[in-house]
Amino acid sequence: MQKKIVVLTGAGMSADSGIRTFRDADGLWEGHDVMEVASPFGFARNPYLVLDFYNQRRRRLLDVIPNPGHKMLVELEQHFNVTIITQNVDDLHERAGSSHVLHLHGELLKVRSTGDETIVLDWKKDLNLGETCSKGYQLRPHIVWFGEEVPLLSEAAQITVTADILIIIGTSMQVYPAAGLLNYARQGTPIYFVDPKPSINASDFENLTIIPARAAKGVPTLVTDLIRKEL
C-alpha cells in the first residue's frame, strides 16, 4: 500500500509561475477592494467590473505555465498516493499533470449559472453580461466569493484525515476555513511546511518540519528527499 500524501497549496504555489498572490500588503487585490470584486454584493452592485476583473485574470492564466514546484508534485505521484487540496483557482496543478486536485475556492476556467449552481461550464474566453446558461440565467465566475459557503470543505477535511504525510505549500494558514484543515490531520502525522516567510514555528505542531523557501525551490527539495526515504 502506498502512503497517502495530502498537499495543501495556496497562492505561493503559483507565485513562481507569475500569478500574483491574492492580496497585496495594503489589502487590495490587483488594486481593488476585495469586496468589490470577490463578493455577491460586489457582483450585484457592479457586475461589469467583476466580470472584467476575472476576464483579465483568466487571460493572464492562459499565458503562464506550471513551475518546478507543480511538476515535482506530479513526480511525487509515482511513489505515493497523492491528493492536492488547493486554495488556488488556476489550473496549473492539472496542467502539470497532477491526477487528483480539489479546488476549495472554485476554478477560474469555469463559469456557473447564477440561477442554478449545478450548471457549471468550462470557459476559457471572456465572460460578458448577457451570456446566460441553458435556463436563461446570467453566468458568473465559478469562484467561491467572500460570504459564500465553501462547498468542498467537508470533502477536504475527510481527505486530510487520511494523510500519512501532510505537505503545506505557499499559504499563510491564517485564512479560514481552509486553515482549519490542519486540525484534521491525525495526531503524529508528519507535516512539512514550504514557504519563504513561514507564519508558524516548528514548535507549533508535533512533527512539523519547516522549509523556508519558495515553492519552485522548496518543493523539489522536499519531494526528492521524500522519494529517497521511500526507496
Side-chain angles (χ1 to χ4, degrees), residues 184-206:
Y184 286 91
R186 290 173 296 181
Q187 187 172 6
T189 300
I191 302 171
Y192 296 89
F193 186 59
V194 182
D195 194 272
K197 297 178 180 178
S199 58
I200 55 179
N201 300 310
S203 59
D204 289 346
F205 295 91
E206 185 183 0

Side-chain angles (χ1 to χ4, degrees), residues 114-132:
T114 53
D116 183 347
E117 62 183 25
T118 66
I119 300 177
V120 180
L121 307 172
D122 293 328
W123 202 272
K124 291 188 176 182
K125 59 184 180 179
D126 284 0
L127 176 61
N128 302 300
L129 283 176
E131 293 190 272
T132 59

Side-chain angles (χ1 to χ4, degrees), residues 118-159:
T118 66
I119 300 177
V120 180
L121 307 172
D122 293 328
W123 202 272
K124 291 188 176 182
K125 59 184 180 179
D126 284 0
L127 176 61
N128 302 300
L129 283 176
E131 293 190 272
T132 59
C133 71
S134 58
K135 294 184 177 181
Y137 295 107
Q138 172 67 41
L139 294 168
R140 56 160 277 183
H142 185 48
I143 305 292
V144 177
W145 286 331
F146 287 98
E148 296 182 326
E149 291 186 5
V150 183
L152 296 179
L153 187 62
S154 177
E155 183 178 348
Q158 293 171 16
I159 292 170

